[in-house]
C-alpha cells in the first residue's frame, strides 16, 4: 500500500500496479517510504511549532501579569516609602521622578530599615536610662528619708532630756517652746514618713487578685473613723488583678482624707464603682468643705496643702501618692467639687487582661 | 542581776537607752560598745580589753555602725561556741526587709525599729523589760 497521493500519480503514469515490474516496485516502495517519513517529520515539526507557539503565548501572558503585579508592588512600595519618611524632603525629591526602579526602592527600604533600627535602639536606650534615673531617684528618696531620721531622733530625745532635767527651773514660756519644738519634730517625722511612702509607691509590683470590697472594709476598720462620720460602701465592688499594697495606699489615703477634713456635724462618705469592659471607675464622695475650682489640680501635687499646717498636721504628700499610683497603673484621677458642697474624688483603673497578667509574672 | 550589753555608735542613742532603762527601773549593769569589733573584744577579753564577766545574757544591737556592722557582728557571735546562745535584740533605724531577714536568719529574739519620739522608745523598753522578766534565760 502506497500513500494515497503517490498511488494516484503512479496510476496516472505507470498504469495498473500488477503490471509494474518487481524492480520498479521495489524502487517505488523506497520512494513511498521516504515520502511517509517526510510526512511524519513534517507532522512532528508542525506539532512542535504549535506547542512552542502556545507556550510562548502562555509565557507572554504570565509576563504581562507579572509586570502588572510588579507595577502594583512598585506603587505600594512608593506609597509606603513616602509614609515612612514623610518628614524627609530628600525622599519626596527622589519620588518626583517616575523612572525609579525596584532596585533603588529596595536600596531606600534598606536604608530606611537601618535608620528605624537605629532609632529603635536609641529609644530603648533612652527608656533604660529613664528607668535607671527613676530607680535612683526613688532610692535617693529612701536613703535621704532614712538618714534624716537619725539626727531627728537625736533632736527629739535631747529635747525630752532637757525638758525633764530643767523642769524645776523653766518658766511657762520655755515650757511652751519645748512643746513647739517637739511638735515640729513630729511634723518633720510625718514628712519623712510621707516621703518614704511616696518612694515606696513606685517600688516593684506584685500582682495578685484583690477583692476591693474586702480591702476597703479592712481599711475602714483600720482607720477607725469618729462616731459622727458614716461610711457607706456601695456593694459589688470589683475584684482586680493588681498590687495589693498600692491599692491599700490608694484607698486609705482617699478615705482618711475624707474623714480628716470633714467639717459637718454628720459626716457622710460614700464609696462606689462603675465597671466598664476594660476599666473601672471608682469614686469617694464626701459632704466635707469642698475644694474650689482653682485648687482642684494643685491638690495632687507634692507638698500642696489647703490649710495651714498648724491647723491640720498635713504633709501634702497623700494625694501625690494617690496620683502616682493611679497614673502608674494607667488610670486617671480628678476631683469634682464645689466649695461647701462636698467633694467627689474619681479615678479610673484599668482591668488587667489575663495575657498581660501572665506577662507581668 | 545579769549584765546587758548595748552595741551602738550614736551617743544620743546610747543616752536614750540609759534614760529609758532608768525610767523603767531597769538596774542591770549596761555595758556599751560602739561597734562590732569593740563588742567582740569586750565579750572575749581580747585586744587588751577586760572581759565582761559574767557574760551578758542580753545584747541590744544596732545595725549601721563603723568597722563591723550589726549583722557582721551577729555572724561572728553565732559562730563562737562560748557566745552563740546570747539573746540578741536588734534596735535599729533600718526598716529594710533585707536587714530584718538577715537578722532573723541569725536567730535574733526581736527586731525593733527605733521610734523618733523618746516617749515611744521608753514604752518599747518597758515592753522588752516585762518580756525579759517573763522569759527564763540560761544562767
Amino acid at each position: 500500500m502506497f500513500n494515497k497521493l503517490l498511488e494516484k500519480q503512479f496510476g496516472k503514469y505507470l498504469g495498473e500496479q500488477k503490471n509494474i515490474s518487481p524492480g520498479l516496485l521495489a524502487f517505488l516502495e523506497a520512494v513511498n517510504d521516504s515520502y511517509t517519513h517526510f510526512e511524519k517529520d513534517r507532522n512532528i515539526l508542525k506539532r512542535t511549532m504549535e506547542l512552542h507557539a502556545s507556550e510562548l503565548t502562555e509565557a507572554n501572558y504570565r509576563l504581562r501579569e507579572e509586570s502588572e503585579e510588579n507595577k502594583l508592588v512598585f506603587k505600594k512600595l512608593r506609597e509606603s516609602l513616602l509614609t515612612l519618611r514623610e518628614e524627609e524632603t530628600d525622599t519626596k525629591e527622589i519620588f518626583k521622578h517616575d523612572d525609579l526602579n525596584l532596585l533603588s526602592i529596595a536600596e531606600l527600604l534598606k536604608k530606611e530599615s537601618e535608620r528605624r533600627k537605629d532609632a529603635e535602639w536609641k529609644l530603648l536606650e533612652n527608656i533604660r536610662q529613664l528607668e535607671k534615673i527613676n530607680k535612683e531617684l526613688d532610692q535617693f528618696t529612701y536613703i535621704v528619708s532614712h538618714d534624716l531620721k537619725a539626727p531627728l531622733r537625736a533632736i527629739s530625745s535631747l529635747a525630752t532630756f532637757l525638758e525633764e532635767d530643767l523642769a524645776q527651773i523653766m518658766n511657762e514660756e520655755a515650757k511652751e517652746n519645748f512643746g513647739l519644738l517637739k511638735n515640729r519634730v513630729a511634723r518633720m517625722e510625718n514628712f519623712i514618713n510621707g516621703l518614704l511612702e511616696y518612694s515606696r509607691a513606685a517600688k516593684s509590683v506584685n500582682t495578685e487578685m484583690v477583692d476591693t470590697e474586702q480591702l476597703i472594709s479592712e481599711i475602714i476598720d483600720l482607720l477607725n473613723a469618729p462616731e459622727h462620720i458614716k461610711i457607706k460602701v456601695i456593694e459589688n465592688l470589683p475584684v482586680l488583678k493588681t498590687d495589693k499594697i498600692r491599692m491599700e495606699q490608694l484607698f486609705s489615703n482617699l478615705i482618711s482624707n475624707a474623714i480628716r477634713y470633714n467639717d459637718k456635724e454628720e459626716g457622710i462618705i460614700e464609696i462606689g464603682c462603675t465597671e466598664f469592659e476594660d476599666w473601672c471607675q471608682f469614686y469617694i464622695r464626701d459632704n466635707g468643705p469642698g475644694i474650689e475650682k482653682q485648687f482642684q489640680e494643685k491638690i495632687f501635687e507634692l507638698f500642696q496643702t489647703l490649710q495651714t499646717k498648724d491647723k491640720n498636721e498635713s504633709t501634702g504628700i497623700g494625694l501625690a501618692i494617690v496620683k502616682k499610683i493611679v497614673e502608674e497603673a494607667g488610670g486617671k484621677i480628678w476631683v469634682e467639687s464645689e466649695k461647701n458642697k462636698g467633694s467627689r474624688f474619681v479615678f479610673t483603673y484599668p482591668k488587667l487582661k489575663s495575657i498581660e497578667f501572665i506577662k507581668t509574672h | 542581776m545579769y549584765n546587758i550589753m548595748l552595741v551602738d555608735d550614736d551617743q544620743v542613742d546610747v543616752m536614750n537607752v540609759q534614760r529609758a532603762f532608768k525610767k523603767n527601773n531597769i538596774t542591770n549593769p549596761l555595758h556599751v560598745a560602739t561597734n562590732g569589733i569593740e563588742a567582740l573584744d569586750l565579750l572575749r577579753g581580747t585586744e587588751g580589753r577586760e572581759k565582761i564577766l559574767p557574760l551578758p545574757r542580753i545584747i541590744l544591737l544596732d545595725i549601721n555602725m563603723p568597722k563591723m556592722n550589726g549583722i557582721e557582728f551577729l555572724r561572728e557571735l553565732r559562730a563562737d561556741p562560748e557566745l552563740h546562745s546570747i539573746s540578741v535584740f536588734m534596735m535599729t533605724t533600718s526598716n529594710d526587709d533585707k536587714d530584718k531577714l538577715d537578722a532573723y536568719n541569725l536567730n535574733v529574739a526581736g527586731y525593733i525599729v527605733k521610734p523618733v519620739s523618746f516617749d515611744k522608745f521608753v514604752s518599747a523598753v518597758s515592753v522588752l523589760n516585762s518580756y525579759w522578766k517573763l522569759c527564763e534565760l540560761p544562767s
Side-chain angles (χ1 to χ4, degrees):
Chain A
M1 274 296 278
F2 297 130
N3 179 286
K4 281 266 179 336
L5 195 66
L6 267 181
E7 207 170 87
K8 242 189 207 165
Q9 297 287 323
F10 293 160
K12 201 172 158 191
Y13 294 104
L14 303 170
E16 290 284 312
Q17 199 179 323
K18 54 186 183 231
N19 302 329
I20 298 168
S21 69
L24 190 62
L25 199 62
F27 170 72
L28 286 177
E29 266 169 6
V31 171
N32 183 60
D33 272 356
S34 57
Y35 195 89
T36 330
H37 271 144
F38 171 75
E39 189 89 319
K40 224 187 243 168
D41 282 351
R42 207 176 58 113
N43 279 339
I44 287 171
L45 195 69
K46 204 176 143 203
R47 176 105 187 88
T48 313
M49 290 297 279
E50 269 169 19
L51 262 175
H52 274 212
S54 78
E55 252 173 33
L56 212 66
T57 331
E58 169 84 18
N60 208 350
Y61 174 75
R62 265 199 222 134
L63 263 178
R64 209 177 307 148
E65 228 176 22
E66 250 169 53
S67 138
E68 285 299 317
E69 223 175 76
N70 274 343
K71 264 188 209 159
L72 208 69
V73 170
F74 186 74
K75 199 178 149 224
K76 288 256 162 80
L77 276 174
R78 268 182 61 160
E79 278 168 13
S80 56
L81 260 180
L82 276 173
T83 46
L84 270 177
R85 307 189 65 178
E86 238 165 86
E87 71 282 4
E88 309 236 342
T89 45
D90 64 317
T91 322
K92 272 187 183 163
E93 207 53 46
I94 290 166
F95 279 104
K96 271 186 183 164
H97 313 290
D98 264 347
D99 56 349
L100 256 188
N101 59 20
L102 269 175
L103 199 67
S104 58
I105 285 192
E107 191 58 37
L108 270 173
L109 269 176
K110 194 183 151 213
K111 260 191 203 156
E112 185 55 29
S113 70
E114 276 165 5
R115 201 180 67 91
R116 298 257 146 173
K117 221 171 150 189
D118 208 42
E120 198 182 324
W121 190 83
K122 271 181 196 152
L123 195 71
L124 273 175
E125 188 59 29
N126 279 347
I127 291 171
R128 260 196 292 272
Q129 201 70 23
L130 264 179
E131 275 171 353
K132 200 178 144 226
I133 290 171
N134 256 340
K135 216 183 231 173
E136 273 172 5
L137 210 65
D138 284 322
Q139 191 83 13
F140 179 76
T141 321
Y142 190 81
I143 290 167
V144 166
S145 316
H146 192 261
D147 288 356
L148 279 178
K149 261 196 183 180
L152 191 67
R153 204 179 49 254
I155 294 168
S156 170
S157 300
L158 290 168
T160 311
F161 299 167
L162 280 173
E163 195 186 17
E164 284 173 2
D165 297 346
L166 301 175
Q168 302 303 318
I169 53 167
M170 270 201 296
N171 61 18
E172 279 311 305
E173 200 191 341
K175 279 180 189 162
E176 204 185 309
N177 285 346
F178 265 109
L180 283 173
L181 177 61
K182 283 163 102 178
N183 170 276
R184 294 304 184 270
V185 167
R187 188 180 292 172
M188 186 157 167
E189 193 195 358
N190 284 341
F191 260 118
I192 292 171
N193 287 340
L195 277 178
L196 273 175
E197 213 192 319
Y198 186 77
S199 80
R200 219 172 289 143
K203 282 200 174 152
S204 65
V205 194
N206 294 307
T207 322
E208 59 184 297
M209 297 302 289
V210 179
D211 182 345
T212 53
E213 194 164 324
Q214 196 194 330
L215 181 76
I216 287 169
S217 89
E218 280 168 19
I219 291 168
I220 292 170
D221 276 349
L222 215 71
L223 288 174
N224 208 4
E227 285 283 311
H228 71 282
I229 288 177
K230 299 274 170 287
I231 304 177
K232 192 177 159 197
V233 181
I234 307 295
E235 273 172 25
N236 288 325
L237 295 180
V239 176
L240 294 172
K241 278 170 195 151
T242 185
D243 184 274
K244 195 177 179 185
I245 293 168
R246 287 191 191 199
M247 253 323 184
E248 203 180 321
Q249 277 182 302
L250 178 52
F251 280 110
S252 119
N253 269 299
L254 287 173
I255 299 168
S256 69
N257 275 357
I259 295 170
R260 183 143 52 122
Y261 295 105
N262 202 298
D263 55 354
K264 302 296 183 293
E265 245 169 66
E266 201 192 333
I268 300 164
I269 296 167
E270 188 184 288
I271 301 155
C273 177
T274 319
E275 272 193 69
F276 297 89
E277 196 189 331
D278 295 332
W279 46 286
C280 305
Q281 183 169 314
F282 288 93
Y283 69 86
I284 289 101
R285 196 165 60 87
D286 65 63
N287 64 338
I291 298 152
E292 285 168 81
K293 196 125 211 120
Q294 68 203 88
F295 301 123
Q296 287 180 6
E297 274 190 38
K298 207 172 183 186
I299 50 167
F300 293 105
E301 289 170 23
L302 205 54
F303 303 128
Q304 295 298 327
T305 53
L306 295 181
Q307 294 172 343
T308 64
K309 293 196 177 55
D310 290 338
K311 198 172 163 205
N312 202 317
E313 286 292 344
S314 156
T315 53
I317 297 174
L319 283 179
I321 291 174
V322 165
K323 186 178 156 80
K324 192 174 178 186
I325 293 170
V326 170
E327 287 185 353
E328 279 199 12
K332 268 187 194 159
I333 184 162
W334 66 93
V335 62
E336 295 160 359
S337 175
E338 265 179 69
K339 194 154 175 71
N340 297 322
K341 286 192 177 163
S343 308
R344 188 168 175 268
F345 281 84
V346 189
F347 69 87
T348 59
Y349 208 86
K351 290 183 187 169
L352 211 54
K353 295 265 172 59
S354 50
I355 299 163
E356 287 162 33
F357 181 66
I358 293 163
K359 258 194 227 161
T360 52
H361 279 70
Chain B
M1 205 43 86
Y2 53 83
N3 287 320
I4 295 177
M5 179 182 234
L6 170 65
V7 192
D8 197 326
D9 65 320
D10 187 317
Q11 193 189 346
V12 181
D13 281 340
V14 172
M15 283 160 72
N16 259 338
V17 175
Q18 288 165 334
R19 285 234 177 191
F21 268 35
K22 212 167 170 185
K23 284 212 164 187
N24 283 300
N25 298 318
I26 304 170
T27 50
N28 301 55
L30 186 71
H31 302 264
V32 180
T34 57
N35 64 60
I37 290 178
E38 195 188 342
L40 284 175
D41 287 338
L42 286 173
L43 293 170
R44 291 169 176 159
T46 45
E47 293 295 318
R49 301 299 295 261
E50 197 181 324
K51 186 172 175 165
I52 302 169
L53 281 173
L55 280 171
R57 292 198 207 159
I58 289 165
I59 296 176
L60 304 176
L61 181 62
D62 189 18
I63 290 184
N64 295 314
M65 290 181 295
K67 290 179 187 166
M68 182 190 275
N69 72 29
I71 299 293
E72 290 162 343
F73 167 76
L74 251 182
R75 225 166 260 139
E76 287 275 330
L77 196 81
R78 294 297 183 232
D80 187 321
E82 199 193 354
L83 307 174
H84 76 261
S85 66
I86 300 177
S87 216
V88 178
F89 291 81
M90 303 309 288
M91 243 185 218
T92 171
T93 51
S94 171
N95 201 5
D96 200 4
D97 275 342
K98 191 187 176 299
D99 283 341
K100 286 179 200 167
L101 199 67
D102 283 347
Y104 278 107
N105 278 336
L106 290 160
N107 299 322
V108 293
Y111 191 109
I112 297 147
V113 177
K114 291 176 192 167
V116 167
S117 133
F118 178 66
D119 293 333
K120 280 186 194 157
F121 184 68
V122 172
S123 48
V125 171
S126 156
V127 174
L128 275 183
N129 188 35
S130 40
Y131 177 70
W132 294 335
K133 278 186 181 150
L134 185 72
C135 288
E136 292 291 334
L137 295 167
S139 43

